[in-house]
Amino acid sequence: MLFADDAAVACHTQQALQSLMDHFSQACKDFGLTISLKKTKRDMDDVRQTRKKRLNTFHMRSLRRILGISWQDKVPNTEVLSRAGLPSMSTLLRQRRLRWLGHVHRMPDGRIPKDLLYGELATGSRRRGRPQLRYRDALKRDMKAVGIDKETWENLAADRSQWRGAVTRHLKTGEEKLTQAATRRRTRRKLRISNVQQTAYKCSTCGRDCHSRIGLHSHSRRCSSQTHN
């Protein structure tokens, strides 16, 4: 399974996995490539919060650049997404995961992706503390967040068109909840800012309170250029 900059290798047995890795290593040597042991690991974790934040930051920055919206315009992300007609990055990630879930569920038994999704370790023990988040756990969180029944989802996923329709409807509802939550957070943040006492860093041109010296310096250059224009 190939990704943007990663390759995932999966087999039914440890011997088959070792044989596949040997062939993969030899192919890399033939092309002058080296496998980094530091970056090679067995992993089925969900996209971590830090990566999700980076993806969302890039997503919003790209949309603002395409739409010609700068940070000085003070347009919230919810309005940017509304103008672009696109969902948030969280919804896009959930859409990809849930669609993939239905695809894997409809696979015949014995396929490696399905065995990885439904399989359980027969031997071994985990370390103390909170267990690592499995991909299946991330899928359960997604279904709970958008309102898909975790007990009956397999009945819907058995039919491709019904599953895609159900995922689309529930994702739309989940996106509306995310938008409402973001609006509430922005309202509370603006309320806190309005309750903060006025500072001495006011713009002499428009009277705006910039709250800091560096903020006043940055605003003054823009404000003066707009006044001259």
Side-chain angles (χ1 to χ4, degrees), residues 23-40:
H23 285 82
F24 182 67
S25 176
Q26 183 60 46
C28 290
K29 291 180 180 179
D30 293 341
F31 286 93
L33 302 176
T34 303
I35 300 177
S36 175
L37 297 178
K38 293 182 179 181
K39 297 182 179 180
T40 302

Side-chain angles (χ1 to χ4, degrees), residues 96-119 135-136 139 143 149-164 167:
R96 300 299 189 273
R97 286 193 293 259
L98 291 175
R99 285 185 176 181
W100 184 84
L101 173 63
H103 174 68
V104 174
H105 175 71
R106 292 187 295 273
M107 287 182 178
D109 295 339
R111 293 286 300 275
I112 290 179
K114 191 170 186 178
D115 291 343
L116 289 175
L117 181 64
Y118 287 95
Y135 196 83
R136 185 166 56 183
L139 293 171
M143 288 189 285
D149 191 348
K150 293 185 291 184
E151 303 298 330
T152 61
W153 70 269
E154 292 180 335
N155 298 330
L156 285 173
D159 184 272
R160 182 176 181 272
S161 59
Q162 288 186 3
W163 177 246
R164 287 176 69 92
V167 168

Side-chain angles (χ1 to χ4, degrees), residues 4-173:
D5 56 353
D6 297 305
V9 180
C11 290
H12 286 99
T13 63
Q14 182 177 355
Q15 292 77 11
L17 179 62
Q18 184 61 55
S19 176
L20 186 58
M21 287 301 301
D22 291 340
H23 285 82
F24 182 67
S25 176
Q26 183 60 46
C28 290
K29 291 180 180 179
D30 293 341
F31 286 93
L33 302 176
T34 303
I35 300 177
S36 175
L37 297 178
K38 293 182 179 181
K39 297 182 179 180
T40 302
K41 59 180 179 180
R42 292 171 293 175
D43 191 293
M44 282 201 65
D45 288 346
D46 182 28
V47 178
R48 298 186 179 182
Q49 293 297 324
T50 53
R51 295 184 180 179
K52 185 186 296 184
K53 289 181 179 179
R54 290 177 181 176
L55 285 172
N56 185 67
T57 300
F58 175 76
H59 181 56
M60 298 308 305
R61 184 187 296 120
S62 300
L63 291 179
R64 289 176 181 273
R65 185 170 300 176
I66 292 172
L67 297 174
I69 302 173
S70 65
W71 66 270
Q72 292 96 338
D73 298 328
K74 294 187 177 181
V75 179
N77 289 342
T78 53
E79 177 62 23
V80 174
L81 293 172
S82 177
R83 295 183 187 181
L86 294 174
S88 63
M89 180 54 62
S90 296
T91 298
L92 289 174
L93 292 174
R94 285 173 180 168
Q95 181 190 59
R96 300 299 189 273
R97 286 193 293 259
L98 291 175
R99 285 185 176 181
W100 184 84
L101 173 63
H103 174 68
V104 174
H105 175 71
R106 292 187 295 273
M107 287 182 178
D109 295 339
R111 293 286 300 275
I112 290 179
K114 191 170 186 178
D115 291 343
L116 289 175
L117 181 64
Y118 287 95
E120 296 285 349
L121 291 177
T123 59
S125 60
R126 66 176 180 86
R127 294 174 295 180
R128 294 179 61 182
R130 178 184 177 276
Q132 289 188 345
L133 183 68
R134 302 171 298 176
Y135 196 83
R136 185 166 56 183
D137 298 327
L139 293 171
K140 290 180 179 179
R141 289 185 177 184
D142 290 336
M143 288 189 285
K144 181 179 180 181
V146 300
I148 297 178
D149 191 348
K150 293 185 291 184
E151 303 298 330
T152 61
W153 70 269
E154 292 180 335
N155 298 330
L156 285 173
D159 184 272
R160 182 176 181 272
S161 59
Q162 288 186 3
W163 177 246
R164 287 176 69 92
V167 168
T168 300
R169 291 193 304 272
H170 286 284
L171 284 175
K172 183 178 180 180
T173 303

